[in-house]
């Protein structure tokens, strides 16, 4: 079912540009799947922007790729088209000539094909903190459904820990839980995290639909990793690969009623406020 957008893409971009995000806060806009826009201070980061108006989407994108003209940094988690979109990246690359695109080694050749100049392509090396335009970020391996590693290209699938505006944000990308992931994320003292909940099964795998953690695993992960506020994702875009986010919330309510969570409405602006904002 397609639900009409309540505002134009230009209005959404204007809202992002005009939103003030004081220190200790992070503004997050949800575009569907695991595609989000994050703003802290004056820095705007797109993660896995998926704006293709494809017929197999369950709802239309909120803006056109060429309207996404305010990205300082674009972070790509892996090379599947709903994360590294061949319709979105070329439009964004043409619209603004100083946006920096960060991606795993497996994805860099695709960025080149999509028109991203060499000086604007950055290899997301796992385990290595880097800084770009007010953003500190750490790529960490993701297992979708397995870890895929090459000595030259590093990990094919990654998630990102972001330090932005005094807030630590974890975007898991597409992943299951593998040994060491909980400990790695817990060490970063994550304030807010976006975790996939669509799960996996042999029937989807037989159709080449690679899976992620399910809603129970995501909830348990959030608690075990000490995440302050958890946001479920990757449940709403494609028929046959969905999940009901209410199951995630119900599971937390029944088992971990003090764990904070938030379900993002499509295209909403959610502002996370940390204790550091209240102390400043």
């Amino acid at each position: 079912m397609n639900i009409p957008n309540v505002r134009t893409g230009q209005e959404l971009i204007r809202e992002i540009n005009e939103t003030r995000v004081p220190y200790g806060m992070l503004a997050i806009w949800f575009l569907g799947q695991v595609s989000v826009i994050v703003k802290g201070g004056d820095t705007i980061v797109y993660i896995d922007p998926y704006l293709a108006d494809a017929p197999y989407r369950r709802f239309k994108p909120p803006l056109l790729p060429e309207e996404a003209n305010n990205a300082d940094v674009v972070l790509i988690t892996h090379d599947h088209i709903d994360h590294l979109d061949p319709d979105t990246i070329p439009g964004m690359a043409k619209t603004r000539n100083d946006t920096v695109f960060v991606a795993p080694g497996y994805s860099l050749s695709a960025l080149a094909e999509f028109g991203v100049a060499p000086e604007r392509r950055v290899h997301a090396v796992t385990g290595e903190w880097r800084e770009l335009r007010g953003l500190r970020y750490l790529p960490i391996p993701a297992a979708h459904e397995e870890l895929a590693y090459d000595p030259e290209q590093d990990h094919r699938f990654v998630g990102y820990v972001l330090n932005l505006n005094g807030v630590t944000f974890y975007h898991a990308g597409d992943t299951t839980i593998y040994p060491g992931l909980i400990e790695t994320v817990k060490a970063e003292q994550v304030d807010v995290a976006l975790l996939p909940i669509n799960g996996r099964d042999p029937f989807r795998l037989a159709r080449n639909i690679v899976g992620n953690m399910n809603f129970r695993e995501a909830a348990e992960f959030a608690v075990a990793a000490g995440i302050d506020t958890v946001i479920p994702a990757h449940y709403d875009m494609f028929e046959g690969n969905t999940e009901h986010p209410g199951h995630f919330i119900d599971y937390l309510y029944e088992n971990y009623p003090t764990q904070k969570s938030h379900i993002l409405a499509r295209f909403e602006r959610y502002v996370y406020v940390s204790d550091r904002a209240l102390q400043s």
Side-chain angles (χ1 to χ4, degrees):
M1 178 178 64
N2 287 326
I3 300 175
N5 296 337
V6 296
R7 55 188 165 179
T8 66
Q10 292 179 348
E11 289 170 336
L12 176 60
I13 292 297
R14 187 180 308 116
E15 177 183 276
I16 296 168
N17 291 340
E18 294 178 355
T19 296
R20 291 184 61 254
V21 191
Y23 182 81
M25 300 184 188
L26 203 65
I28 303 169
W29 286 263
F30 184 49
L31 307 183
Q33 199 72 334
V34 295
S35 182
V36 294
I37 302 169
V38 180
K39 183 177 183 180
D42 295 323
T43 300
I44 298 174
V45 182
Y46 283 61
I47 306 177
D48 286 353
Y50 180 54
L51 302 174
D53 191 9
Y56 41 80
R57 292 177 58 122
R58 297 178 71 210
F59 56 91
K60 288 184 174 294
L63 67 160
L64 301 173
E66 55 268 28
E67 292 176 316
N69 59 7
N70 58 350
D72 295 301
V73 180
V74 175
L75 301 178
I76 301 296
T77 63
H78 63 285
D79 55 333
H80 292 161
I81 63 170
D82 53 329
H83 301 263
L84 178 57
D85 179 22
D87 291 324
T88 299
I89 300 302
M92 293 186 69
K94 290 178 183 178
T95 298
R96 178 171 165 175
N97 60 15
D98 64 343
T99 301
V100 179
F101 294 78
V102 180
Y106 281 84
S107 302
L108 293 178
S109 60
L111 288 180
E113 294 174 8
F114 298 159
V116 180
E119 67 274 11
R120 299 168 63 191
R121 303 193 301 262
V122 177
H123 187 184
V125 180
T126 57
E128 181 179 296
W129 281 101
R130 289 196 180 183
E131 290 194 33
L132 283 172
R133 304 187 180 180
L135 168 70
R136 291 184 72 243
Y137 67 92
L138 172 70
I140 61 176
H144 184 36
E145 300 175 19
E146 298 178 350
L147 294 169
Y149 177 78
D150 177 86
E152 293 185 1
Q153 300 190 88
D154 199 17
H155 284 270
R156 178 181 176 183
F157 311 112
V158 304
Y160 293 94
V161 177
L162 280 59
N163 287 164
L164 180 60
N165 204 43
V167 176
T168 300
F169 174 62
Y170 172 51
H171 187 293
D174 279 2
T175 193
T176 55
I177 302 171
Y178 61 86
L181 179 60
I182 292 174
E183 292 78 9
T184 296
V185 174
K186 186 174 184 178
E188 300 303 330
Q189 298 181 314
V190 172
D191 294 304
V192 58
L194 192 84
L195 304 180
I197 65 166
N198 62 300
R200 61 207 176 277
D201 57 59
F203 306 101
R204 280 181 285 179
L205 188 58
R207 292 184 288 143
N208 294 317
I209 300 175
V210 187
N212 295 308
M213 59 179 102
N214 61 36
F215 70 85
R216 294 181 182 87
E217 292 168 326
E220 294 285 351
F221 178 91
V223 174
I227 294 166
D228 180 59
T229 298
V230 58
I231 299 171
H234 207 301
Y235 56 75
D236 64 344
M237 187 65 72
F238 306 120
E239 295 294 346
N241 192 25
T242 61
E243 182 55 271
H244 198 302
H247 297 329
F248 176 81
I249 298 301
D250 285 345
Y251 187 86
L252 285 178
Y253 177 77
E254 292 295 334
N255 296 279
Y256 304 103
T258 61
Q259 171 64 52
K260 290 185 285 183
S261 62
H262 182 77
I263 293 181
L264 293 168
R266 291 174 189 167
F267 323 137
E268 83 159 296
R269 176 184 57 193
Y270 167 67
V271 179
Y272 174 82
V273 181
S274 73
D275 291 340
R276 289 174 293 283
L278 302 176
Q279 295 167 358
S280 63

